Amino acid sequence: MSCSACFQGTIHDGTPSGTETELHGLPTYIACPPPDVAVRGIIVIVPDAIGWTFTNTRCLADEMAKEGNFKVYLPEFMNGTHISYKKSVYSPDIFEWSRARGIYVPLRTIRQDVARHRLLGYDFETVICTSFLIPFHNDSYCISTRPETLEKTDDTIWAKTRYYALRVMLHIVPFLYRGRFSVTWPRVHDFMTAVSTKEARDLPLGAAGFCWGGRHVVNLASLPHPDDPQKLLIDAAFIAHPGPLELPGEIERIRAPFLMAIGDDDYVVGMKEVEKIKAVLTRKENLESEVVVYPGAKHGFAVRGNPGDEKDKRRGDEAREQAVRWFQRWFRRVGEE
């Protein structure tokens, strides 16, 4: 399941350096460590709702491969139904239309006005609609709330925002249906099973889930290895700002070493749910687990945080580094056994 927060954030600069291939029937992006370094293990990323082609996630895979000496797989688990920020979220023509008429201001200004209930003559629904339509624009600009710029343009803005709201829904609703857990879980399960018996037969295997992919990784962490029921399918699991989970059941079934990164300002999985998760994990005496709460972090911070914001960038970097250390720790133990 996804929500509007799953489609908001910042597009990062950078060019992915990995390759695309087909692996176990799925298009897959592969990031590798430097060629002169031995691979320490394999990590499979189950991404957020924007899917396997998202630049941010591919660059994240590259960084994890380089920093941890992992081979990282980023498969297409959504069968083409992932959310495309180019098609449904970012609407360049409405942005350029407003820019040409001088009726745009930094998006942070609009958010401050909304937070303070000072919409300066512009109604709340239109601000929210327009803010949702172009949250991925790198300049972070949106339609102005200043009434002097809107005297002759209200009707046009309403027409355009309604049109793009419809276009967004026509793209997102199919994903919410076709990308639901019951449909995509078999693909994730089958891919991981195949990797565990082939590419990772002699290597440790981990899974990292972000937003939409968090629930899948939680469930992977409970499964036995297909060739040996005494072993686990994956050797370590990491999730960041997951989508809604079935609590407490899905957490109670976790058996693999488990790490979760979450912000205290995440309204998808709030702090009450986080405390429940912590309580369940604490009761599992034989499970190595950790839940790290990032103060001030919102949903999506590990993938779609703003690199131009010092705090946002630091949170994203720390979450990635934390994940790399977690996998290194448990992959090292597997190698020693």
Side-chain angles (χ1 to χ4, degrees), residues 181-198:
F181 183 80
S182 60
V183 172
T184 55
W185 169 245
R187 293 188 204 122
V188 176
H189 174 272
D190 292 350
F191 183 89
M192 294 297 296
T193 299
V195 170
S196 71
T197 58
K198 296 179 181 178

Side-chain angles (χ1 to χ4, degrees), residues 8-48:
Q8 297 174 356
T10 304
I11 301 174
H12 298 174
D13 294 330
T15 302
S17 59
T19 59
E20 291 184 16
T21 188
E22 182 170 303
L23 186 64
H24 305 303
L26 297 180
T28 303
Y29 178 82
I30 300 179
C32 297
D36 57 340
V37 175
V39 176
R40 300 179 64 172
I42 295 174
I43 295 173
V44 177
I45 292 179
V46 190
D48 61 16

Side-chain angles (χ1 to χ4, degrees), residues 30-162:
I30 300 179
C32 297
D36 57 340
V37 175
V39 176
R40 300 179 64 172
I42 295 174
I43 295 173
V44 177
I45 292 179
V46 190
D48 61 16
I50 307 174
W52 79 296
T53 61
F54 191 31
T55 297
N56 294 20
T57 310
R58 290 191 171 197
C59 288
L60 175 61
D62 293 342
E63 291 168 343
M64 292 179 70
K66 180 180 178 180
E67 294 173 6
N69 297 332
F70 309 131
K71 181 173 286 188
V72 182
Y73 296 152
L74 174 57
E76 161 61 301
F77 288 127
M78 302 174 189
N79 197 29
T81 62
H82 59 275
I83 298 298
S84 170
Y85 58 89
K86 292 181 179 179
K87 292 181 179 179
S88 67
V89 180
Y90 171 42
S91 303
D93 44 353
I94 192 173
F95 176 75
E96 296 302 333
W97 177 87
S98 62
R99 179 206 291 271
R101 288 158 179 77
I103 56 171
Y104 64 95
V105 293
L107 184 57
R108 61 179 177 273
T109 300
I110 289 180
R111 287 174 175 160
Q112 290 169 358
D113 289 343
V114 171
R116 297 169 186 168
H117 304 285
R118 291 193 301 106
L119 300 187
L120 303 180
Y122 206 25
D123 69 273
F124 182 84
E125 184 177 356
T126 304
V127 171
I128 294 302
C129 179
T130 311
S131 300
F132 175 74
L133 290 171
I134 57 174
F136 282 99
H137 194 279
N138 283 330
D139 292 337
S140 295
Y141 284 100
C142 195
I143 300 290
S144 173
T145 59
R146 298 192 178 101
E148 63 270 19
T149 65
L150 299 170
E151 292 177 357
K152 299 180 181 180
T153 56
D154 271 2
D155 291 343
T156 310
I157 291 176
W158 266 109
K160 284 183 174 287
T161 54
R162 285 171 172 170

